[in-house]
């Protein structure tokens, strides 16, 4: 199937299907003891998402607590430096707690309250999902456990401190590579023992059904706002829409509003140190179909067919798979997926900071880097980037490993 064979006017009603599949990707591959719990979440979500009371409350929270809508900024100096291509950024760094993650965390926590749960459990890599969920837990008066790899805890100390100040319990994961994949493993294991009293709030558009759909729906506010704002600012749609892709929450939220438009959509994966297995986390570019963490998608595998070790300078992108909807949209050719390495992302981190006064998250810097690459290649065009988060969390790490690049 190719994307021109799909009616994108009705796409969101048809994908995923009732079993949670986007084509062959998705589903819910779970042990028996979790199937009942997941059905409870699915039934609750599909009931509540159609409720005017729930939708109204979520809109009020977004407006009064999160500070939405977030604006679009025209990066005029960055654009002028690289030619005639105009670069714009959707400012999710200005969403309360500093990233797009709060968009789905407030929705998931509100769902937990609806279901009568007392506690929420999650994993985090860069810490932005953990901070957002700890924020949501504090807002709704819920207990909160956040599982985080030991490597990421050291790397993202400011966000660890924020989670603890907000009242969350940060659980250090010391198995394996001690990064995001192991944090997900540990969080799922904890949830399997506590599901009667808590809800798992996954940090991206992945995992077993209904999580990829839930996260996409909650994050779609990013793309809906951005499309309307860009039209108001310029009188036309952007030529290119770009976002970084790890698990894929910011990107699927951004992309979903543009699927039926004559717009180039590019998802940017982390190439890390290079193409060798273990040096990157570009699963859609270099991976194969496989099942992990309860869903079928495209994943990076080792020689035994197990999830391969991955690496990225961005803790929020170092996951060996990606959301099933991304795998589907890649297969049908609607979205192009490309890569940006560590050095190019760090260069973009400094470029946006110095030229526009916006310090981006390293994750978002991958998308900014790709926009700069497009600007160097094209004569006339516009690029709309999802700036998924701010870089406060990354400052200590960047300074330690790359310095401040002060002018001499």
């Amino acid at each position: 199937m190719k994307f021109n064979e799909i009616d994108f006017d009705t796409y969101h009603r048809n994908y995923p299907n009732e079993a949670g599949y986007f084509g062959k990707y998705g589903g819910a591959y779970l042990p028996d003891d979790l199937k009942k719990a997941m059905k409870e979440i699915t039934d609750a979500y599909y009931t509540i998402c159609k409720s005017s009371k729930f939708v109204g409350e979520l809109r009020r929270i977004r407006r009064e607590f999160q500070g939405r809508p977030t604006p679009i900024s025209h990066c005029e100096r960055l654009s002028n430096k690289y030619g005639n291509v105009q670069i714009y950024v959707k400012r999710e760094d200005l969403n309360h707690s500093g990233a797009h993650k709060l968009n789905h965390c407030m929705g998931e926590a509100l769902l937990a309250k609806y279901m009568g749960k007392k506690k929420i459990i999650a994993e985090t890599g860069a810490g932005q999902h953990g901070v957002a969920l700890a924020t949501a837990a504090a807002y709704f008066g819920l207990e909160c456990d956040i599982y985080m790899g030991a490597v990421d805890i050291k790397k993202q100390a400011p966000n660890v401190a924020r989670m603890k100040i907000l009242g969350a319990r940060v659980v250090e994961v010391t198995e394996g590579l001690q990064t995001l994949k192991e944090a997900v493993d540990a969080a799922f294991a904890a949830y399997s023992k506590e599901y009667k009293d808590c809800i798992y709030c996954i940090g991206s558009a992945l995992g077993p059904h209904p999580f990829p759909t839930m996260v996409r729906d909650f994050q779609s506010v990013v793309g809906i706002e951005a499309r309307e704002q860009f039209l108001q600012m310029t009188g036309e749609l952007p030529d290119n829409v770009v976002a970084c892709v790890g698990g894929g929450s910011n990107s699927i939220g951004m992309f979903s509003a543009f699927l039926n438009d004559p717009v180039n959509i590019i998802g940017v994966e982390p190439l890390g140190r290079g193409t060798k297995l273990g040096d990157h986390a570009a699963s859609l570019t270099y991976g194969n179909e496989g099942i992990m963490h309860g869903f079928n998608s495209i994943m990076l595998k080792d020689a035994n067919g197990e999830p391969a070790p991955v690496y990225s300078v961005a803790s929020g992108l170092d996951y060996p798979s990606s959301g099933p909807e991304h795998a589907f949209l890649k297969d049908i050719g609607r979205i192009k997926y490309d890569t940006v390495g560590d050095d190019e992302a760090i260069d973009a981190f400094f470029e946006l900071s110095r030229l526009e006064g916006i310090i981006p998250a390293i994750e978002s810097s991958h998308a900014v880097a790709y926009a700069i690459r497009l600007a160097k290649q094209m004569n006339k065009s516009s690029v709309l980037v999802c700036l998924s988060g701010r870089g406060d969390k990354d400052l200590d790490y960047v300074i330690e490993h790359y310095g401040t690049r002060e002018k001499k």
Side-chain angles (χ1 to χ4, degrees):
M1 179 184 293
K2 297 298 180 183
F3 74 87
N4 56 8
E5 300 172 9
I6 292 177
D7 181 2
F8 280 101
D9 284 331
T10 59
Y11 172 81
H12 290 102
R13 280 186 301 203
N14 297 326
Y15 294 93
N17 64 17
E18 289 187 5
Y21 283 94
F22 301 87
K24 62 182 178 179
Y25 302 111
Y29 299 82
L30 296 163
D32 291 339
D33 59 343
L34 282 182
K35 288 180 179 178
K36 184 177 179 182
M38 211 56 60
K39 186 178 187 305
E40 179 190 17
I41 294 173
T42 303
D43 291 345
Y45 175 67
Y46 281 113
T47 299
I48 199 173
C49 74
K50 301 295 184 183
S51 163
S52 62
K53 182 178 178 181
F54 175 84
V55 173
E57 176 67 1
L58 192 57
R59 285 176 176 171
R60 183 193 67 77
I61 289 168
R62 286 172 174 169
R63 182 178 63 252
E64 298 177 8
F65 183 68
Q66 293 183 228
R68 302 204 71 87
T70 58
I72 285 177
S73 294
H74 178 207
C75 299
E76 188 171 358
R77 292 187 67 212
L78 183 67
S79 302
N80 290 342
K81 179 174 179 178
Y82 290 103
N84 296 321
V85 173
Q86 299 304 304
I87 299 172
Y88 298 78
V89 290
K90 173 63 170 167
R91 299 293 303 281
E92 288 304 289
D93 59 312
L94 297 180
N95 194 34
H96 180 49
S97 78
H100 70 289
K101 295 291 188 179
L102 197 62
N103 299 329
H104 67 260
C105 286
M106 294 304 287
E108 289 175 330
L110 186 58
L111 178 64
K113 289 289 284 188
Y114 173 86
M115 296 173 68
K117 304 296 185 181
K118 305 297 182 185
K119 182 178 180 180
I120 48 183
I121 290 177
E123 84 297 329
T124 194
Q128 286 299 140
H129 176 61
V131 170
L133 199 64
T135 301
Y139 182 91
F140 289 107
L142 298 166
E143 295 178 45
C144 181
D145 287 351
I146 304 294
Y147 289 80
M148 192 172 188
V151 169
D152 293 334
I153 284 178
K154 182 179 179 181
K155 219 169 151 181
Q156 304 291 345
N159 274 345
V160 175
R162 290 186 184 98
M163 285 182 263
K164 291 179 178 178
I165 288 171
L166 289 162
R169 185 172 74 104
V170 180
V171 183
E172 184 175 14
V173 179
T174 57
E175 286 77 23
L177 295 178
Q178 305 176 17
T179 55
L180 183 56
K181 186 263 180 187
E182 289 77 23
V184 176
D185 291 340
F188 261 112
Y191 176 59
S192 68
K193 299 173 184 176
E194 303 181 57
Y195 62 85
K196 292 182 180 179
D197 299 313
C198 74
I199 185 174
Y200 188 98
C201 296
I202 203 156
S204 196
L206 43 76
H209 179 64
F211 288 113
T213 306
M214 283 173 51
V215 172
R216 177 197 70 188
D217 292 351
F218 289 139
Q219 288 294 345
S220 66
V221 66
V222 178
I224 291 168
E225 286 179 4
R227 188 180 187 279
E228 181 180 347
Q229 290 166 330
F230 198 91
L231 280 168
Q232 289 177 346
M233 290 176 72
T234 68
E236 61 185 17
L237 292 170
D239 297 309
N240 305 278
V241 176
V242 179
C244 65
V245 180
S249 56
N250 91 94
S251 45
I252 204 64
M254 184 68 158
F255 296 162
S256 62
F258 295 94
L259 291 175
N260 200 31
D261 293 323
V263 170
N264 297 319
I265 304 177
I266 305 103
V268 184
E269 294 195 288
L271 188 61
R273 296 178 293 245
T275 59
K276 183 181 176 182
L277 192 65
D279 281 349
H280 63 84
S283 57
L284 293 165
T285 304
Y286 295 105
N288 299 290
E289 184 178 354
I291 296 169
M292 65 177 290
H293 293 150
F295 69 105
N296 183 49
S297 187
I298 298 175
M299 60 181 277
L300 294 167
K301 302 177 184 177
D302 63 18
N304 299 316
E306 297 297 317
V310 291
Y311 160 80
S312 169
V313 70
S315 296
L317 301 181
D318 59 357
Y319 186 72
S321 187
S322 191
E325 190 166 10
H326 282 290
F328 174 67
L329 291 168
K330 177 183 185 292
D331 270 13
I332 64 173
R334 178 60 190 97
I335 296 178
K336 174 185 176 181
Y337 293 87
D338 208 339
T339 61
V340 161
D342 285 359
D343 291 340
E344 192 177 356
I346 294 298
D347 286 344
F349 174 92
F350 281 103
E351 285 282 78
L352 193 66
S353 299
R354 295 283 163 81
L355 292 173
E356 299 294 339
I358 302 170
I359 302 175
I362 297 178
E363 289 78 12
S364 316
S365 299
H366 285 71
V368 175
Y370 200 85
I372 293 172
R373 189 189 296 176
L374 288 175
K376 292 176 180 178
Q377 295 171 351
M378 297 180 173
N379 290 324
K380 294 181 181 179
S381 187
S382 60
V383 185
L384 176 58
V385 175
C386 184
L387 196 75
S388 56
R390 63 177 177 237
D392 302 37
K393 66 183 179 60
D394 298 312
L395 294 180
D396 290 345
Y397 179 83
V398 169
I399 290 169
E400 180 183 351
H401 291 85
Y402 299 95
T404 58
R405 297 192 180 177
E406 296 179 30
K407 293 182 179 178
K408 296 180 180 180

